Amino acid sequence: MGKASQLFKTDLKGLDRLIKKLRSDGYVVYGPVKRGRSWFFLEIDSVKQVDLNYVRTVLPPKKLLHPPREKLFEFKLGDGFEVSEKPMPPTVALFGVHPCDLKAIERQDEFFSQTPEDPYYLARRRNALIIGLTCTRVDENCFCLSRGTGPEVSTGFDILITDVGNGYLLEPGSAKGLELLKSLGFQEVGDEYLEAKQKLIEELKKSFTKQMPPEGLAELAKSMLEHEVWKETAERCLSCGNCSLVCPTCYCFDVYDVLELNLRSGVRVRELDSCQLLEYAEVALGGNFRRNRFQRLRHWMLCKFGVAGGGLYSSCVGCGRCIVYCPANIDLTEVASRLRGGG
Amino acid sequence: MKLKVGVFKFTSCSGCQVELIRMNEQLPELLNLVEFKYWAMASSKLEDGPYDLALVEGAISTPECIEEVKAIREKSRVLVALGDCAVTGGVPSIRNWMSQREAETIVYPKPGYIRSTRVYGIDEYVKVDYYLKGCPPRLENILQVFKAVILGVKPRLRQHSVCVECKLYENECLLTTYKQPCMGPVTAAGCGAICPNVGRVCEGCYGPMSDPNVASMVERLREIGLSDDEIVRKFRKYAGMSKPYREVAKL
Ligand code: SF4
Ligand code: SF4
Ligand code: SF4
Ligand code: SF4
Ligand code: SF4
């Protein structure tokens, strides 16, 4: 916040114009669409398809930047070894990304920009346009507030949309975003709209019931590797992997080749993996660093608490997905509070 | 040198072999690499071993089967259990939970000829190198085993849960969202989550995943209202004789 920047305002029709403009600029636009009882980031061509009042999608928008399964390249053994990279992916615009997911994308950006850089992720990311959407409601499994990852955000978007009641406030977050807003001729408004937004956010903050503050959690968890909570929770854990496959901050993947029957050509694939799965830590000759379920569950939580894996790059942003999709009702905020000596 | 392959069948519906026959357009390519020395369903020319690769379909259910499967093992360098019946006893093993006489009289008008044993997967009697789970296993996975054996590498047959594939396709979760009795969290993947993809629960046809938490799954199914009897049937359906399920299946 703070820095006064240009602000704009529009209505639903204006948002629709924004989507159409992005499409005519060559973006494939994805937004939160309701199907059955859940929401999904799906390709959209009009604001009518979007539920601007959604809570969370099954898979985070990460799926469009770091796809759950993708072909990296094709290879062929001819005279030499030929590799054909697939053409550049379509440029995506993500419409309606909530603050927690914006923060998660920032973490993935940092992770995949480390040496060695990940060219596949970065190619998609560089061209992507991200339009954030301030939440209008939270449910019993949201806890971004305690993680410092929402419901306020000031970075990670090209444009941020907030429903301020009598229209949608549009804040540019990048030069690209500002240019877009100007080109659409949206009405410029003053700072009083920021105040209105802030009031809504303050109101929203009162609806949070769950929390998992990050302060000291990593150090605490690291010092309590033998705490009984790990084994007790692991008794319920199914090692199904749902929690990490839906997590917007998990980045682990597996790479494998699929050979054609000619045994001379094939494709290299990468696919989301999860440290909750037995095979994840398996090495040659069947050795396994985390054969016991409690070790795997503990590792996944330590990573989300900011200890294991990439430390802060993969730590939790409080979206609640892992809790919603855990068939065993395992809740990492409860584990954290037990480590802190509560409950 | 082409890989010498034998395909053998014990107690089963032959669906796994049908899956193999279904490959159609890939067959000529496969025949560049392998030679089927013994495959009664596809050819009347049946040659004795040794085989580089034996694909064994079906459960072991008679004393004769036991001798035969041991003989096949001796003649084969790599032996693969093809499909759930061979892996765990599969659907035929539901017969294990009734008396022998009862089962035989249901099936045969004159059960006097029948001498059957308890139904088991083949590894009750012989060492198995690779398990192709599924009822039936997906063709892709079968072909993967052929390729891996030719190249002398381990096939990539990951045994994580069906939930993993479900998430790769971003299905709505039938268990958590709809409280339906989906066996995905304990079932081995490999099918591509084809049932949840069309909104139907996983019935567990690939058998247990690697290290399934059976006790917790029983609790989860209780939570959504299944009776103990229904739960037992869920675990018996495809892999009741598998080691992880045996205890619950007898419950
Ligand atoms: S750990 Fe759970 S709540 Fe945290 S970001 Fe991942 S899915 Fe969301
Ligand atoms: S190591 Fe961390 S980032 Fe990787 S799957 Fe596990 S929890 Fe996710
Ligand atoms: S979703 Fe729940 S049961 Fe499944 S691996 Fe994660 S914590 Fe365990
Ligand atoms: S529908 Fe079944 S297989 Fe899919 S995620 Fe849910 S429990 Fe797992
Ligand atoms: S989803 Fe389950 S029942 Fe359906 S094919 Fe796959 S393993 Fe079999």
Side-chain angles (χ1 to χ4, degrees), chain A residues 236-243 276 297 300 322 325-328 330:
Chain A
R236 290 214 319 274
C237 177
L238 294 148
S239 302
C240 63
N242 272 311
C243 48
Q276 290 278 33
L297 175 97
W300 133 260
C322 58
Y325 293 108
C326 175
I330 290 170

Side-chain angles (χ1 to χ4, degrees), chain A residues 37-38 40 59 63 69 235-237 239-240 242 246 254 256 259 261 273 279 293 296 327-328, chain B residues 33 147 151 156 158-161 163-164 167-168 170 172 177-178 209-211 213 216 220 223:
Chain A
R37 293 187 191 164
S38 318
F40 304 85
L59 290 187
K63 72 172 186 181
R69 182 187 275 152
E235 270 172 38
R236 290 214 319 274
C237 177
S239 302
C240 63
N242 272 311
V246 297
D254 186 21
Y256 58 90
L259 266 186
L261 259 180
D273 204 345
E279 293 91 340
R293 197 184 316 286
R296 301 199 291 277
Chain B
L33 302 171
K147 291 181 265 187
L151 296 170
R156 184 181 190 274
R158 286 191 65 170
Q159 307 288 300
H160 56 232
S161 70
C163 297
V164 172
K167 287 293 159 297
L168 295 180
E170 198 176 8
E172 273 196 286
T177 308
Y178 289 89
M209 65 187 277
S210 46
D211 195 20
N213 190 341
S216 175
R220 311 289 68 92
E223 264 168 23

Side-chain angles (χ1 to χ4, degrees), chain A residues 182-303:
Chain A
K182 281 185 172 164
S183 75
L184 283 159
F186 291 147
Q187 179 196 344
E188 263 198 69
V189 293
D191 276 359
E192 66 277 14
Y193 277 87
L194 281 185
E195 284 155 32
K197 172 187 150 189
Q198 204 51 40
K199 244 167 94 193
L200 290 171
I201 289 181
E202 292 310 320
E203 207 44 49
L204 190 68
K205 283 182 182 172
K206 294 181 192 153
S207 346
F208 284 88
T209 50
K210 223 180 252 308
Q211 53 152 329
M212 189 175 87
E215 288 76 31
L217 182 58
E219 297 70 27
L220 185 73
K222 201 156 65 174
S223 71
M224 293 203 170
L225 295 181
E226 302 308 321
H227 196 285
E228 62 204 4
V229 73
W230 303 119
K231 287 209 166 113
E232 281 172 26
T233 314
E235 270 172 38
R236 290 214 319 274
C237 177
L238 294 148
S239 302
C240 63
N242 272 311
C243 48
S244 85
L245 290 154
V246 297
C247 178
T249 65
C250 274
Y251 42 64
C252 288
F253 56 80
D254 186 21
V255 175
Y256 58 90
D257 291 343
V258 183
L259 266 186
E260 297 290 329
L261 259 180
N262 59 26
L263 304 184
R264 302 188 68 77
S265 59
V267 290
R268 179 155 296 177
V269 178
R270 83 160 150 193
E271 187 174 297
L272 275 190
D273 204 345
S274 162
C275 61
Q276 290 278 33
L277 309 175
L278 183 67
E279 293 91 340
Y280 177 97
E282 193 177 88
V283 293
L285 302 177
N288 197 317
F289 292 106
R290 287 190 285 275
R291 194 175 290 286
N292 293 321
R293 197 184 316 286
F294 92 90
Q295 296 172 312
R296 301 199 291 277
L297 175 97
R298 184 178 66 186
H299 183 84
W300 133 260
M301 286 205 184
L302 287 175
C303 191

Side-chain angles (χ1 to χ4, degrees), chain A residues 135-147:
Chain A
C135 299
T136 42
R137 57 177 165 141
V138 300
D139 74 4
E140 69 279 8
N141 291 313
C142 295
F143 57 102
C144 62
L145 177 62
S146 64
R147 304 293 298 166

